[in-house]
Amino acid sequence: MSRSILTVAMLILLTASAAFAASDPSYSPGVSVDTVPFYPDGQYNDAVPKPDNFFEHAIGQWPHRYAEMVAYLKVLDTACERVSLQKHGESYEGRDLYNVFISSPANIQKLGTIRKWIDQLADPRQPLTADELDKLVANTPAVAWLGYSVHGEEISGVDAAIQLIYQLAAGTDPATMSILDSVVVIVDPSQNPDGRERYLSMLQSYQSAVPNYNQNAMQHNGVWPWGRANHYLFDLNRDWILLRQKETVSRVATLSKWHPQIVVDGHEMGSNATFLFSPPREPINHNIPNQYMKWMKVFADDQAAAFDKRAWSYYTGEWHEQWYPGYASAWPTYSGGIGILYEMAGVDGKFVKQQDDYLLSYHEAVNKHFTSSLANLATLVANKRAILKDYYETRRQIVDKGRQTKLAYLFKPDRDELKTKRFIESLTGQGIEVSRATADFKVASALNSHGTKKDQATFPEGTYIISTAQPMGALAKGVLEFDPRLSLDFLKEERREIEKHNDTRMYEVSAWSPALAYDMDAWQTTSTISAPTESVTEVEMSGGKLFNPEAQFGFVVDMVGEKTNRMLVQLFQNDLIVRASEKAFTIEGRQFVPGSLVLLKRGNRDDMPQTLANLASEIGLDIFGVNSGNSSQGSLLGAPTFRLLRKPKVGILAGNGIDYTSFGALWYAMDQELEIPHSLVNLDWLHEIDLSQYNVLVAPSSWGPFFTHIGEGGGAKIKEFVEDGGTLICMGNSAVWATDSARGISQVRLRRQVLDKLAEYDLGVSRERQAEAPVIDTMAIYHPDKVAVEGKEEEKVSNPGLEKTKEADEWARKFHPRGVIMKATLDTEDWLAFGMGESVPVMVYSQNVFMAKGPVKTTARFADVNDLRFSGLLWPEARQRWANTAYTTRERKGKGQIILFADDPDMRAYFYGSRQLFVNALLYGPGMGSRFDGPYD
């Protein structure tokens, strides 16, 4: 483009921007809105392009699109020597993710050297003398990471980031220059571009020509699934310790590489609020070092002073607690960083009217983020040396404490290699050091994740070891601790909140242990570990091979978990005929567990061996050719216990009313991990859709009652689908809908519906257990005349009084589990439990207790009252109410079947233990649990 054309284009853009600004009430003194400028009396380098000259809208008038922002950042990267734009990853929708490094030109030129200096402060195992430390903190810039809008619909943070980047790139005033000299600022300007773009498209679609200030209008809300979550509808601000989404993986890699001293996480909250910032209130996780709260007071006071100067309202604490370590503002605090949360009242457009009729502008929302960020950076500059010293000392204390306590976490090798790989790499991805034993070893004493202590415990070669004697030791403990305990003071506070206000002081789950969620054979010890080890950065899995490709009879694949799941999907995709064994068997010297796959040569394609060889290599799973169907133990391969499987044709309900987090975890598992073909079925159109094209229908949990979203017509269609041979999988509130006797779907009932029949359900549980371990009375069989006839106690059904039972149940519901990991015992003979052990940890956040008895099959049942809790806050009332109730059930309905889960089986896509139940329902269900004679062949 010629210079003259460019000049004209810039003039047009400037004129348009000026006209837009003049017409915008936020820039008009006659309108009662906040008009505080971003940076009064600012001084700038005119050679650096101004945002208001680049964008169609001035900063603070209307949210900017991601592509616009990236284009501007690339211009700054070229035009300004203070700025270095670096890609750190990619979103699931293919958008590049960027870090913007901003500092003095001298600092930008030596970023590599600065990172080496920061590495010295971050790893105190190479000790520094007092003089060396003083010199290092004097010469080393502090590092600040500022991330915005991890929730895509919390939009003002991104525009504040643009304004902040410009301020630091172009500002020439003394305060800005001091930040550049003393700090390497890393800005992640849009942590969730996929969610943001989805949401901005909605705002654009529903934008009105006539201004709208009603915060409840679609102009300010959009539609399902809104924009909070990323492409797979994950809440990325819960993913920092889980690393289940690739946006989080690359983001955490940045922080692990640069060890920032402060981490800012910019959010929004309800439109009627003001502005919240850290510090949090209790409960604060006990693994967070003490220096965090000391410095948090300093930062909060300075931020409050900046707000006071502008007459802006604000608050701290209140609902903001810091128990769960998986937030952006919490994660860095475990390793010496200072995490700071911002929560600004949301505007979602240009203006919203608050309850007091104040017109809150988007400009004000952006400005509060911007002003807060500068205030925090100024505090860091003013205290740089002390903060860097504290950072070093805190990490040294973490290492020393780990050495003193000798606390370490041990994870035995698991049959499911792929699950183990994901678990271990979720730790190494956070910078947590992991080693692996290269020989068997013993420890004097160890405690496992189920609470069982063992003396002289033996661990095999390949055991993974995470010592807390490392700079990330407090984080490792915070993440891996099996059962963190809330303080007595907070328990009293929480109990009072429940009893008096029927509410909770817990903002997040009370338990999260990945060791339990992945169902690992996990242990902790404070005994000395004497074992040769090697460092682990990634987990290498064993390869796969087809053995005996010329086999005469067929081929067998063992059930090892995730690899077998992936293999089965690919066998279906290649249209091979597959059977699954209901029982263990041994053939040609090899043992195979229930759920193992058998492919007979007869009936399958001639090229099947080559296909199997390719799949064995690709998936890393051995396949064994057999020359005979004559098992040495267990059923012969032609027995009816080898069940013919059907290719799943999956529909998953989506749309208005569905809990998108429940949906997202299941969608991610099917699309990214299993790679199983599936259709997203719009709930609003369900009454018109031909469901015969599916043989599996998944109903995630819903927001509120499922019936209000599905309606009579949709419910009738689902019932017909099941009766015609389909497999219906429901969880959470969709399972509640299925239990309603008026729907005629399931025979399972909610506890509160059958309070007058509790004794009958207790009897059902008693008979289940009796069947597992029957007691034989030979006298009663052969000599009945010598046995006194007495009524069995278990057959007596009594009712203590329905009104009292209702009252007790209503009271107990107040204390329901709020993110508690509980134990579910499994019927290991049932196909839904293929690849699993005798019990599994499950996450529960619900009031709904499910009751089941014969003929319903209860595959997973909550444990006895004294064996129920693995981790988290479970009040005694909840123990009594949930003990021995149903977690997973299946039952026949016509030609089809219904499978219910009491809560989400794959919460946040990391509960691999209970997820296996769901995957088995998907992959084995159409063949194992339904009768087909028509459209499902």
Side-chain angles (χ1 to χ4, degrees):
M1 182 182 292
S2 70
R3 183 182 298 272
S4 60
I5 295 175
L6 179 60
T7 302
V8 171
M10 289 299 293
L11 284 171
I12 292 171
L13 188 58
L14 279 168
T15 303
S17 297
F20 202 98
S23 66
D24 193 302
S26 68
Y27 292 84
S28 303
V31 179
S32 180
V33 294
D34 182 88
T35 56
V36 174
F38 288 121
Y39 201 80
D41 304 320
Q43 303 167 22
Y44 299 97
N45 180 352
D46 291 337
V48 178
K50 298 179 180 179
D52 290 357
N53 292 345
F54 186 89
F55 296 106
E56 178 183 359
H57 305 299
I59 298 292
Q61 288 186 10
W62 186 256
H64 291 100
R65 303 303 288 258
Y66 191 70
E68 291 181 281
M69 182 197 73
V70 171
Y72 178 64
L73 296 180
K74 289 181 177 179
V75 169
L76 289 185
D77 183 45
T78 302
C80 182
E81 57 186 359
R82 300 178 184 179
V83 175
S84 176
L85 181 65
Q86 299 182 18
K87 177 181 173 181
H88 72 77
E90 187 178 276
S91 75
Y92 281 104
E93 293 179 10
R95 294 181 174 90
D96 289 339
L97 305 173
Y98 291 100
N99 291 317
V100 185
F101 286 76
I102 318 169
S103 194
S104 69
N107 287 339
I108 291 294
Q109 289 296 317
K110 60 180 183 183
L111 283 178
T113 300
I114 291 172
R115 192 163 72 81
K116 290 179 181 177
W117 293 343
I118 290 291
D119 283 345
Q120 284 184 273
L121 292 171
D123 192 350
R125 289 172 296 187
Q126 301 296 325
L128 299 169
T129 66
D131 288 344
E132 288 172 333
L133 180 59
D134 286 340
K135 183 178 179 180
L136 188 60
V137 299
N139 295 331
T140 304
V143 178
W145 182 93
L146 299 95
Y148 301 91
S149 301
V150 70
H151 297 144
E153 64 192 8
E154 297 172 4
I155 53 181
S156 59
V158 172
D159 292 272
I162 298 171
Q163 185 65 30
L164 176 67
I165 291 167
Y166 170 70
Q167 178 67 41
L168 297 176
T172 58
D173 60 281
T176 300
M177 298 302 291
S178 67
I179 292 173
L180 297 170
D181 290 338
S182 300
V183 183
V184 173
V185 180
I186 307 172
V187 179
D188 191 330
S190 182
Q191 298 184 65
N192 178 12
D194 292 353
R196 177 179 175 83
E197 288 301 297
R198 182 190 321 125
Y199 190 61
L200 292 187
S201 294
M202 295 176 192
L203 293 187
Q204 184 176 3
S205 296
Y206 298 114
Q207 187 178 8
S208 304
V210 177
N212 179 278
Y213 308 135
N214 181 353
Q215 59 187 259
N216 297 315
M218 285 179 65
Q219 289 97 321
H220 302 285
N221 287 283
V223 295
W224 193 95
W226 306 283
R228 180 182 179 89
N230 73 339
H231 176 78
Y232 284 106
L233 305 187
F234 273 70
D235 186 330
L236 295 177
N237 198 40
R238 305 298 189 272
D239 199 39
W240 282 70
I241 62 169
L242 310 177
L243 303 193
R244 301 302 300 122
Q245 299 293 280
K246 65 181 185 178
E247 295 97 332
T248 316
V249 171
S250 63
R251 184 161 296 116
V252 169
T254 296
L255 274 74
S256 297
K257 179 179 180 180
W258 278 95
H259 310 294
Q261 282 68 63
I262 70 166
V263 170
V264 167
D265 190 27
H267 289 257
E268 288 181 356
M269 53 183 167
S271 296
N272 287 316
T274 58
F275 194 98
L276 172 138
F277 49 85
S278 301
R281 61 158 174 81
E282 291 289 347
I284 297 173
N285 194 292
H286 49 262
N287 293 297
I288 296 174
N290 293 332
Q291 60 82 33
Y292 165 68
M293 289 302 290
K294 177 189 77 173
W295 281 113
M296 202 60 261
K297 177 71 165 60
V298 176
F299 278 86
D301 286 348
D302 288 352
Q303 192 167 349
F307 272 49
D308 288 341
K309 185 177 179 180
R310 293 159 176 81
W312 289 338
S313 298
Y314 55 89
Y315 65 99
T316 65
E318 300 298 333
W319 53 266
H320 173 211
E321 46 100 323
Q322 200 127 300
W323 182 242
Y324 174 65
Y327 308 117
S329 59
W331 184 85
T333 65
Y334 291 77
S335 50
I338 303 164
I340 304 172
L341 173 70
Y342 301 163
E343 291 279 358
M344 170 63 205
V347 178
D348 302 307
K350 293 185 178 182
F351 306 94
V352 292
K353 186 173 287 188
Q354 296 187 306
Q355 286 177 331
D356 60 359
D357 289 336
Y358 178 74
L359 200 59
L360 179 64
S361 71
Y362 188 60
H363 175 271
E364 181 177 345
V366 172
N367 201 358
K368 287 179 177 177
H369 277 295
F370 169 77
T371 300
S372 295
S373 301
L374 281 181
N376 292 158
L377 291 173
T379 305
L380 180 58
V381 171
N383 300 276
K384 189 204 78 157
R385 293 192 182 194
I387 287 174
L388 286 175
K389 272 191 174 182
D390 253 15
Y391 187 77
Y392 174 83
E393 287 297 327
T394 297
R395 294 170 76 91
R396 184 187 61 77
Q397 290 166 14
I398 291 170
V399 174
D400 287 348
K401 184 176 181 180
R403 288 170 175 164
Q404 292 163 8
T405 64
K406 296 188 286 187
L407 175 64
Y409 294 89
L410 311 174
F411 301 93
K412 293 183 179 180
D414 195 283
R415 208 173 141 79
D416 191 335
E417 286 186 323
L418 188 50
K419 179 187 76 171
T420 301
K421 176 182 175 67
R422 290 170 179 158
F423 170 70
I424 295 298
E425 291 182 358
S426 75
L427 302 178
T428 59
Q430 299 177 64
I432 295 172
E433 296 171 0
V434 179
S435 61
R436 179 169 45 215
T438 56
D440 295 354
F441 66 97
K442 289 183 178 181
V443 297
S445 178
L447 181 76
N448 73 6
S449 59
H450 294 192
T452 301
K453 185 178 179 181
K454 188 173 183 180
D455 294 329
Q456 292 301 311
T458 301
F459 292 86
E461 176 186 353
T463 294
Y464 294 95
I465 304 170
I466 295 93
S467 168
T468 59
Q470 58 170 297
M472 303 300 280
L475 177 66
K477 184 171 180 285
V479 172
L480 295 174
E481 193 171 19
F482 304 143
D483 186 20
R485 304 292 176 89
L486 293 157
S487 70
L488 178 59
D489 286 344
F490 178 77
L491 289 174
K492 291 177 180 178
E493 185 180 346
E494 172 70 356
R495 184 78 187 195
R496 183 177 184 275
E497 189 74 10
I498 294 172
E499 294 195 15
K500 186 172 182 178
H501 302 293
N502 197 27
D503 204 349
T504 179
R505 296 287 284 169
M506 297 294 299
Y507 180 73
E508 184 49 70
V509 294
S510 62
W512 53 84
S513 169
L516 287 165
Y518 279 79
D519 200 19
M520 302 294 292
D521 191 352
W523 298 74
Q524 69 177 49
T525 185
T526 53
S527 301
T528 300
I529 299 174
S530 299
T533 62
E534 59 185 5
S535 179
V536 175
T537 55
E538 61 180 357
V539 177
E540 294 183 5
M541 295 187 296
S542 59
K545 181 181 177 181
L546 175 65
F547 293 86
N548 190 18
E550 304 299 326
Q552 298 178 9
F553 192 84
F555 301 91
V556 184
V557 182
D558 201 6
M559 177 39 153
V560 299
E562 191 73 359
K563 283 187 177 181
T564 304
N565 299 337
R566 291 178 56 81
M567 176 66 74
L568 182 52
V569 171
Q570 293 305 312
L571 295 176
F572 286 138
Q573 290 303 100
N574 282 275
D575 295 320
L576 296 173
I577 300 171
V578 190
R579 289 172 169 80
S581 175
E582 291 184 313
K583 300 179 180 180
F585 63 99
T586 301
I587 191 165
E588 296 185 358
R590 289 191 176 88
Q591 296 179 339
F592 296 92
V593 300
S596 296
L597 310 176
V598 174
L599 298 98
L600 305 179
K601 289 198 70 174
R602 182 177 179 179
N604 270 307
R605 305 193 312 261
D606 291 341
D607 66 349
M608 180 172 66
Q610 184 58 55
T611 299
L612 295 181
N614 294 340
L615 290 176
S617 175
E618 176 187 333
I619 296 173
L621 181 60
D622 289 337
I623 302 176
F624 301 95
V626 293
N627 295 313
S628 169
N630 189 13
S631 304
S632 58
Q633 289 184 336
S635 300
L636 307 190
L637 299 196
T641 52
F642 290 88
R643 301 282 296 278
L644 179 65
L645 300 182
R646 303 279 180 166
K647 183 177 182 178
K649 300 172 185 177
V650 180
I652 177 170
L653 297 180
N656 190 37
I658 293 293
D659 177 347
Y660 60 78
T661 62
S662 173
F663 166 87
L666 304 177
W667 184 26
Y668 177 79
M670 288 188 280
D671 199 43
Q672 284 289 325
E673 296 181 323
L674 296 171
E675 297 180 336
I676 182 172
H678 57 279
S679 298
L680 309 185
V681 180
N682 192 324
L683 196 62
D684 291 336
W685 301 347
L686 186 61
H687 62 285
E688 298 180 358
I689 292 175
D690 177 14
L691 293 182
S692 66
Q693 58 195 308
Y694 312 113
N695 57 18
V696 178
L697 190 63
V698 179
S701 190
S702 64
W703 297 114
F706 189 67
F707 175 74
T708 61
H709 308 295
I710 198 171
E712 291 285 0
K717 291 291 291 287
I718 289 180
K719 184 177 180 181
E720 180 183 2
F721 163 81
V722 175
E723 290 175 341
D724 285 347
T727 294
L728 174 66
I729 306 172
C730 297
M731 57 205 65
N733 280 338
S734 69
V736 171
W737 164 80
T739 64
D740 189 339
S741 59
R743 313 290 165 222
I745 301 291
S746 172
Q747 298 175 74
V748 178
R749 294 290 178 263
L750 291 183
R751 188 179 192 274
R752 61 179 179 268
Q753 297 171 335
V754 292
L755 294 175
D756 57 337
K757 298 182 176 64
L758 294 181
E760 296 177 20
Y761 286 95
D762 290 343
L763 178 58
V765 172
S766 175
R767 285 175 173 169
E768 278 183 18
R769 291 176 175 169
Q770 184 177 320
E772 284 291 335
V775 176
I776 305 301
D777 186 348
T778 56
M779 289 295 292
I781 295 173
Y782 299 115
H783 304 284
D785 56 312
K786 298 180 180 179
V787 177
V789 178
E790 295 181 1
K792 290 187 177 180
E793 187 67 26
E794 67 171 25
E795 299 289 350
K796 296 178 181 179
V797 177
S798 61
N799 188 339
L802 184 57
E803 288 306 315
K804 287 186 177 181
T805 304
K806 285 182 178 179
E807 183 180 342
D809 188 70
E810 185 70 23
W811 176 254
R813 286 174 63 190
K814 289 175 175 281
F815 304 94
H816 67 86
R818 292 176 168 91
V820 180
I821 302 176
M822 295 157 65
K823 179 179 179 180
T825 58
L826 298 175
D827 181 347
T828 56
E829 295 181 15
D830 189 54
W831 58 266
L832 273 178
F834 282 165
M836 303 179 71
E838 294 182 351
S839 67
V840 65
V842 300
M843 175 65 85
V844 181
Y845 201 127
S846 177
Q847 287 188 342
N848 298 312
V849 173
F850 291 80
M851 308 295 290
K853 59 179 181 177
V856 173
K857 180 69 175 179
T858 304
T859 306
R861 187 179 287 283
F862 287 106
D864 286 333
V865 65
N866 294 325
D867 197 27
L868 181 58
R869 191 190 70 89
F870 278 140
S871 184
L873 176 55
L874 188 65
W875 295 106
E877 293 87 345
R879 279 183 181 268
Q880 295 292 336
R881 192 164 181 264
W882 286 79
N884 299 316
T885 61
Y887 177 74
T888 306
T889 64
R890 67 176 180 87
E891 58 190 300
R892 290 281 193 178
K893 181 75 174 177
K895 297 176 183 177
Q897 63 182 330
I898 304 155
I899 297 171
L900 303 184
F901 291 90
D903 214 332
D904 285 316
D906 192 20
M907 190 252 201
R908 294 178 183 164
Y910 81 111
F911 264 76
Y912 276 93
S914 51
R915 191 192 84 149
Q916 186 64 50
L917 290 162
F918 170 72
V919 174
N920 287 345
L922 276 183
L923 301 183
Y924 293 90
M928 302 290 280
S930 300
R931 296 192 292 269
F932 298 93
D933 61 0
Y936 305 111
D937 52 13

